[in-house]
Amino acid sequence: MTHSSFSNENNREDSNQRLEFLGDAVLELVVSETLYSRYPDMAEGDLTKLRASIVCEPSLCEIARSIGLGEKLLLGHGEDMSGGRERGSILSDALEAVIGAVYLDGGLDSAKGFITAVFGDKLVSHAPNSFETDYKSRLQEIIQNKSKSTIVYRIVGEEGPAHDKTFTAEALNARDVLGRGTGRTKKDAEQQAALEALNRMGSA
């Protein structure tokens, strides 16, 4: 699996980015079809929210780690040294690229079989009301119950070109950093920082 950082360092034009684009679309289609069949009475808006709770960076990252995808990545030296093999955005993108490759190699049935296998319980354990979690709100509620203080978020890192940026955010309580996270938008990065804080507290 070839990350763009490796291609840039080695003057190569090949990377996973086009496969990521394709795999993202195939994944959304397969999950959409699964939910459409499982919940015939669910409204469109609720189906969209439920799909978002399954096809999200934390979910894809968890699956990528479970199949050892980080070990198979070709990364640029700087990206590798800075922990790129464990970075959520890189792992989730790589999984999408694998899905795209499976689709090109074996068609939609093969892609559906692969997605069903690696997602496992994630495709069947979501109740209709288990929509995408607002980790920031949950963290704020927990902290306010303990100390009445307010969580503040700050962006501490920004990488990549304008069309494909990755942001890093920290969740702070006073001067204490409770969690750090990355995402393709500042909002996503803040949510991931809140999720890490919740995990540290055993409240996720």
Side-chain angles (χ1 to χ4, degrees), residues 54-72:
I54 300 172
V55 184
C56 60
E57 184 176 300
S59 177
L60 300 188
C61 181
E62 179 184 341
I63 292 167
R65 287 196 177 103
S66 73
I67 62 176
L69 200 52
E71 302 167 9
K72 308 300 183 184

Side-chain angles (χ1 to χ4, degrees), residues 3-199:
H3 187 253
S4 57
S5 62
F6 182 89
S7 299
N8 293 337
E9 282 190 10
N10 292 276
N11 295 316
R12 291 169 48 167
E13 296 183 359
D14 58 319
S15 76
N16 293 333
Q17 288 182 321
R18 284 173 55 84
L19 281 174
E20 293 164 13
F21 165 79
L22 180 61
D24 176 64
V26 173
L27 177 60
E28 287 221 350
L29 173 61
V30 170
V31 173
S32 296
E33 180 187 25
T34 301
L35 298 179
Y36 181 86
S37 299
R38 181 167 293 127
Y39 304 115
D41 299 323
M42 185 177 288
E44 176 191 0
D46 290 341
L47 286 170
T48 299
K49 292 177 183 177
L50 184 52
R51 181 181 62 195
S53 72
I54 300 172
V55 184
C56 60
E57 184 176 300
S59 177
L60 300 188
C61 181
E62 179 184 341
I63 292 167
R65 287 196 177 103
S66 73
I67 62 176
L69 200 52
E71 302 167 9
K72 308 300 183 184
L73 290 171
L74 293 177
L75 295 175
H77 179 73
E79 193 68 69
D80 200 0
M81 292 299 97
S82 64
R85 295 185 189 279
E86 287 297 316
R87 186 163 294 128
S89 59
I90 291 179
L91 288 172
S92 60
D93 285 348
L95 181 60
E96 289 175 345
V98 171
I99 293 170
V102 172
Y103 171 77
L104 288 178
D105 186 63
L108 186 58
D109 286 343
S110 293
K112 187 173 183 178
F114 174 75
I115 291 167
T116 301
V118 298
F119 272 74
D121 290 342
K122 289 183 181 297
L123 283 175
V124 298
S125 62
H126 280 68
N129 292 322
S130 61
F131 300 144
E132 185 175 13
T133 303
D134 184 352
Y135 300 116
K136 290 174 65 176
S137 295
R138 187 190 301 179
L139 178 61
Q140 183 62 56
E141 181 179 351
I142 291 173
I143 295 299
Q144 282 193 330
N145 286 339
K146 293 181 177 179
S147 63
K148 306 298 182 183
S149 57
T150 300
I151 301 297
V152 176
Y153 294 87
R154 67 182 178 191
I155 302 299
V156 296
E158 186 175 320
E159 299 178 356
H163 67 281
D164 189 27
K165 283 190 178 295
T166 298
F167 297 92
T168 301
E170 290 180 343
L172 299 99
N173 182 18
R175 294 184 177 181
D176 296 329
V177 177
L178 303 182
R180 173 179 283 220
T182 62
R184 295 178 184 174
T185 67
K186 293 179 180 179
K187 179 180 178 182
D188 288 342
E190 291 174 355
Q191 287 283 358
Q192 293 309 304
L195 175 58
E196 181 177 277
L198 290 167
N199 283 328

